[in-house]
Each structure stands twice: as C-alpha cells, then as structure tokens.
Amino acid sequence: MNIILLGAPGSGKGTQSQNLSTLYNLNHLSTGDLLRAEITANTPLGQQAKTIMDSGNLVSDDIVIAMIANHLNQQGTLFDGFPRTLNQAQALDTLLATHNNSQIDYVIELDVDQEEIIQRMLARGRADDNEHTIRNRLNVYNQQTKPLIDYYQQQNKHHKIDGSGAIEDITARIQTIIEPTS
Ligand code: ADP
C-alpha cells in the first residue's frame, strides 16, 4: 500500500505520517526531512538546498525525484511532502510502476484553515518559519501543489479530511478512509 499525504505546509503531514507509518508498517519518506539531513551533514546538495528552502521556494524536481528513487524499497511507502509538483507526481507514478510494480492507493489531503496554519508554523519556529517565508510557501503550495488535487481526483484517489482538532482524532479520520467498514 502506498499513501500520499497532501496539504499545505504546517497542515500536520509530518505528525500524521509518523502515526500512519507505525499503524500500517509503511516506509515514511519525507523529502523535507531528507533535505534537512543533507543540510545538517553539510553535503554539496544540502548547501545548494538550504538557500532555496530558507526562501520558501521548491528545490528542483530532479533533485527530489532522485532522492525518492534512492529511498524506495519493497515496503509500502507513505509519502510526506512529495510530490509537490505535477512533474513530480508523474515521475512518482513511473517510479512505482517500474521499481515496485505498484501504484498510489490513497491520497489524503489534510484541510486546515490558512490562519491556523500561520499560527502553527510561527509556534514551531523552524529556520524557514518566519512570516515572510511562510507566506511564500503558502503561495507556492497554492500555485504548484494544489493542481495535484485535480490530478488525483481524476484517478479517484483523492480524499479530503478535516485536519484541525486533536492529533489522534485526525489519525482516526484517516483510518476510516483506509479501513472503510471496520
Ligand atoms: P512543510 O510541509 O512545513 O513546508 P517540508 O519539510 O515538507 O515542510 O518542506 C520544507 C522545504 O523543503 C520546502 O519549503 C521546500 O523548499 C523543500 N522541499 C520539501 N519537499 C520538496 C519537494 N517535494 N519538492 C521541492 N522542494 C521540496
């Protein structure tokens, strides 16, 4: 089983990914975490990515697609923060078909009010969490990532859930999509 968590920055994808990857024994792949690990290790890729991430823009498709290809294994995967562009979504379909003979099963969109998102991110205080960058990341999300909703709706894979409230309630909402009648 392969799942994509979709949602604006700060919508809680990382938190829900941890719960879901434990519940369903999935390989949790977060491109944000992988990129931050490159920055911490001070690799050439990390140095290149840092400036882009600090501004709130997207790292190039080639880089993140290659990172994902390197981390796919035979386990089912939970994709967190990837894909973020149509180009990435199409590349992912091809990767899964050729490497794993599999496909995306569920795309779960976490729906959170924009004002709540800004408050959450300011409270989180990560390096790229200042107000200017946050606004840019929300714009980037609206322009480049939102079209993915259509892409997956056309494949009948898109499910939108309310991403506000208690963490475990949100997890339970996602479970009702993955385990419909239990
Ligand atoms: P958030 O969901 O809060 O935005 P992430 O950790 O997912 O946090 O992403 C942080 C930054 O890492 C993004 O703003 C972007 O610069 C970069 N990044 C992460 N995933 C991708 C991706 N799939 N494509 C391009 N850039 C990415």
Side-chain angles (χ1 to χ4, degrees), residues 7-11 13 30-33 35-36 49 52-54 56-61 64 80-85 88 121 124 126 128-129 137:
S11 60
K13 299 186 295 290
S30 157
T31 39
D33 287 350
L35 288 166
R36 280 185 288 277
I52 301 168
M53 289 169 73
D54 283 349
N57 292 322
L58 295 184
V59 173
S60 83
D61 286 340
V64 291
D80 162 12
F82 179 93
R84 260 173 153 97
T85 64
Q88 291 177 20
M121 286 201 281
R124 187 169 69 175
R126 217 171 58 195
D128 55 349
D129 281 343
R137 280 153 69 202

Side-chain angles (χ1 to χ4, degrees), residues 1-4 26-31 34 63-80 82-83 88-104:
M1 176 166 75
N2 298 300
I3 302 177
I4 294 172
L26 299 170
N27 178 21
H28 174 200
L29 288 187
S30 157
T31 39
L34 291 171
I63 288 178
V64 291
I65 291 165
M67 270 189 345
I68 288 288
N70 279 334
H71 285 84
L72 279 182
N73 56 27
Q74 290 309 307
Q75 215 180 342
T77 305
L78 192 132
F79 296 95
D80 162 12
F82 179 93
Q88 291 177 20
Q90 285 159 348
L92 178 58
D93 285 344
T94 307
L95 272 177
L96 288 175
T98 55
H99 285 227
N100 292 41
N101 193 22
S102 71
Q103 60 186 27
I104 294 298

